[in-house]
């Protein structure tokens, strides 16, 4: 011992061992991040190891089932690769793609367009646009239920995802009074997911106008996630782009190839900024700094954007036909089960049936997976009104697969309620 310091060799060895075993501590920012859609996979893997035949109705990936990316857009990517368009692209995307997105957006009435940027899926646009907006302690209004990426990113930024509730008794439309009651001086934005994931609701014009009014009165940036806007399943229902309703409102419209063009693995999405110039200028400079810092989205795959947006849209006719039949089966069969009620989705490929059960939806889904092999996602993973329970089901699978799964859920429910 020298003074207070212990210099015995065995002590040094112990200290070195202790340091080697010390864990790398993850950041606080990641503590609240969950993504229920993939989290249930752990439960599913355990059931599969027990020899259960699995039916995966948890992930919104059309290409796992009988939906295929059109050969024209695959050929465009192939041609781009052969033509050596394999270097980095401009940070906001190649001009041919940006021009096609602008044209397509104008046809939907979106404008005046202030900027268009191509990203690695809409997911990256969401991340970049929230990062450019939020400081720690700010809050953003997000729908409950809603797509969980928004709350994950807002948590990552040490900001607060502040839920507003969608009204199940009114076809899952947003409740304007509820939104208004949650705005305070740290509220910076409001997220609209239309058609919604996980409810499939398509929003009415008066509801969108109400959200725009609140956003303008409170200087909020609107994130309008319209990634399912071509997948409307009822003839009488029309999708309205939020940004088409008011040229002055500050809106980032999000879209991409994943859903409308059946190519989620391409990882190509985009953001379209619209609204009054004086509102958007500084913010868009911040967005562009972040876009430049990450170089670019995949270059050759961006060459699919123009042919996708400007080509024949036959794939959509077929997809809508299949999806509306599968939606009808879903709603009819689930509503016939005691303890389950299901609002009919008007768009996308998700339903969010309500459960009247003892215990939580997470427990219910865990047991369901173990006993039937049918994988759905607990409603708690999307946010829901306290005291209610739901699950999300993806109805992309062929009719006979869905019918088998819903029969299994019916049998399981009987025994679950009899317990
Ligand atoms: N927004 C919503 C509402 C989604 O449901 C999804 C994916 O399921 C995404 C964004 C992610 O889209 P992308 O594949 O373009 O990243």
């Amino acid at each position: 011992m020298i003074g207070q310091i212990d210099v015995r060799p065995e002590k040094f060895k112990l200290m070195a061992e202790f340091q080697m075993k010390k864990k790398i501590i993850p950041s606080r920012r990641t503590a609240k991040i969950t993504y229920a859609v993939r989290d249930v996979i752990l439960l599913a893997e355990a059931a599969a190891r027990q020899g259960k035949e699995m039916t995966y109705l948890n992930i919104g990936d059309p290409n796992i089932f009988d939906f295929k990316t059109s050969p024209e857009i695959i050929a465009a990517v192939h041609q781009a690769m052969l033509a050596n368009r394999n270097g980095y692209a401009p940070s906001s995307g190649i001009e041919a793609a940006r021009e096609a997105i602008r044209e397509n957006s104008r046809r939907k009435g979106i404008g005046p367009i202030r900027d268009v940027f191509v990203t690695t899926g809409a997911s990256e646009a969401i991340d970049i646009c929230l990062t450019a907006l939020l400081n720690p302690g700010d809050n953003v209004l997000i729908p409950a239920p809603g797509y969980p990426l928004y709350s994950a990113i807002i948590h990552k930024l040490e900001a607060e995802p502040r839920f507003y509730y969608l009204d199940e008794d009114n076809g899952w439309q947003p409740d304007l009074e509820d939104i208004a009651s949650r705005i305070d001086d740290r509220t910076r934005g409001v997220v609209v997911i239309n058609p919604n994931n996980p409810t499939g609701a398509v929003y009415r014009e008066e509801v969108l106008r109400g959200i725009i009014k609140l956003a303008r009165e409170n200087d909020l940036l609107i994130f309008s996630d319209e990634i399912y806007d071509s997948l409307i399943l009822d003839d009488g229902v029309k999708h309205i782009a939020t940004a088409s309703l008011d040229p002055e409102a500050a809106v980032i419209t999000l879209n991409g190839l994943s859903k409308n063009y059946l190519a989620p693995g391409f990882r190509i999405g985009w953001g379209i900024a619209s609204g009054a110039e004086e509102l958007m200028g500084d913010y868009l400079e911040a967005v562009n700094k972040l876009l430049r810092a990450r170089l670019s989205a995949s270059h050759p795959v961006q060459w699919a954007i123009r042919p996708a947006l400007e080509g024949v849209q036959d794939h959509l006719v077929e997809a809508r036909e299949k999806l509306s039949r599968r939606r009808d089966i879903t709603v009819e069969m689930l509503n016939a089960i005691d303890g389950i009620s299901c609002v009919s989705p008007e768009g996308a490929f998700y339903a969010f049936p309500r459960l009247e059960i003892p215990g939580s939806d997470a427990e219910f889904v865990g047991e369901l997976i173990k006993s039937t092999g049918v994988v759905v996602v607990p409603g708690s993973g999307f946010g829901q009104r306290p005291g209610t329970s739901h699950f999300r089901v993806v109805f992309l699978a062929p009719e006979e697969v869905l019918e088998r799964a819903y029969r299994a859920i019916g049998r399981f429910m009987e025994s679950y309620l009899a317990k």
Side-chain angles (χ1 to χ4, degrees), residues 35 60 120-124 126 146-147 149-150 193-197 225-228 254-259 263-265 267-270 349-350 392:
Y35 193 79
T120 304
S123 302
E124 192 192 28
I126 295 167
Y147 183 57
L149 177 67
Y150 288 92
I193 303 174
N194 177 29
N196 181 268
N197 174 5
D225 185 330
E226 301 179 7
I227 194 137
Y228 301 97
L254 298 148
N255 217 313
L257 296 184
S258 292
K259 315 291 179 172
R267 305 308 303 124
I268 287 291
W270 51 84
F349 33 68
Y350 309 102
R392 186 191 78 171

Side-chain angles (χ1 to χ4, degrees), residues 194-268:
N194 177 29
N196 181 268
N197 174 5
T199 67
V202 179
Y203 295 168
R204 302 288 172 259
E205 180 171 337
E206 65 273 17
V207 171
L208 294 171
R209 287 198 184 277
I211 295 173
I212 291 171
K213 184 166 177 288
L214 287 173
R216 289 195 56 178
E217 284 166 359
N218 294 282
D219 301 326
L220 309 183
L221 176 58
I222 301 174
F223 292 83
S224 193
D225 185 330
E226 301 179 7
I227 194 137
Y228 301 97
D229 66 346
S230 298
L231 299 174
I232 304 298
L233 308 180
D234 288 316
D235 288 341
V237 175
K238 190 174 170 311
H239 180 269
I240 300 166
T242 310
S244 72
L245 295 176
D246 186 344
E248 296 285 307
V251 185
I252 301 289
T253 303
L254 298 148
N255 217 313
L257 296 184
S258 292
K259 315 291 179 172
N260 291 336
Y261 295 94
L262 307 173
F266 278 24
R267 305 308 303 124
I268 287 291

